[in-house]
């Protein structure tokens, strides 16, 4: 039999368990409302990459590697003091796709 939570019936325990552990995996995308009057919805990935406490000199390399690994949701902030470093790999990715990212926070172009 399934263990119950102390002092609770098995029905109550099952309800609590279903609340904590959903029977269906949640969507990998999280809907966020925004826009004028909150009428638009944008889907963002549930799992993201935070640059909190990442030294600014390592931020560009971290973003470059995360982009190459498929991360598309980043936590960046002015208080992290790495915006200028972080912006470079993002711009390179937007301009050139993966071909512009070398995994070291730098840019390269294949001349072939």
């Amino acid at each position: 039999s399934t263990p119950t939570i102390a002092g609770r019936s098995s029905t109550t325990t099952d309800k609590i368990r279903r609340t904590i552990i959903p029977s269906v995996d949640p969507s990998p995308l999280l809907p966020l409302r925004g826009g004028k009057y909150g009428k638009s919805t944008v889907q963002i990935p549930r799992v993201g990459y935070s640059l909190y406490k990442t030294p600014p000199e390592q931020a560009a390399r971290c973003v470059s590697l995360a982009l190459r690994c498929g991360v598309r949701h980043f936590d960046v902030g002015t208080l992290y003091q790495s915006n200028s470093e972080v912006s470079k790999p993002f711009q390179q990715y937007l301009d050139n796709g993966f071909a512009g990212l070398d995994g070291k926070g730098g840019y390269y172009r294949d001349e072939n």
Side-chain angles (χ1 to χ4, degrees), residues 23-84:
S23 61
V24 177
D25 287 337
S27 166
L29 297 176
L30 179 67
L32 290 180
R33 285 193 166 210
K36 193 170 185 177
Y37 309 114
K39 293 190 178 192
S40 358
T41 301
V42 176
Q43 302 280 334
I44 65 166
R46 285 185 185 269
V47 176
Y49 185 86
S50 177
L51 292 158
Y52 180 64
K53 292 192 177 183
T54 301
E57 62 275 5
Q58 294 178 7
R61 180 172 186 263
C62 292
V63 168
S64 180
L65 290 171
L67 283 167
R68 292 175 65 94
C69 291
V71 175
R72 297 296 180 268
H73 176 180
F74 290 84
D75 170 31
V76 296
T78 303
L79 292 176
Y80 303 168
Q81 299 178 348
S82 60
N83 284 352
S84 62

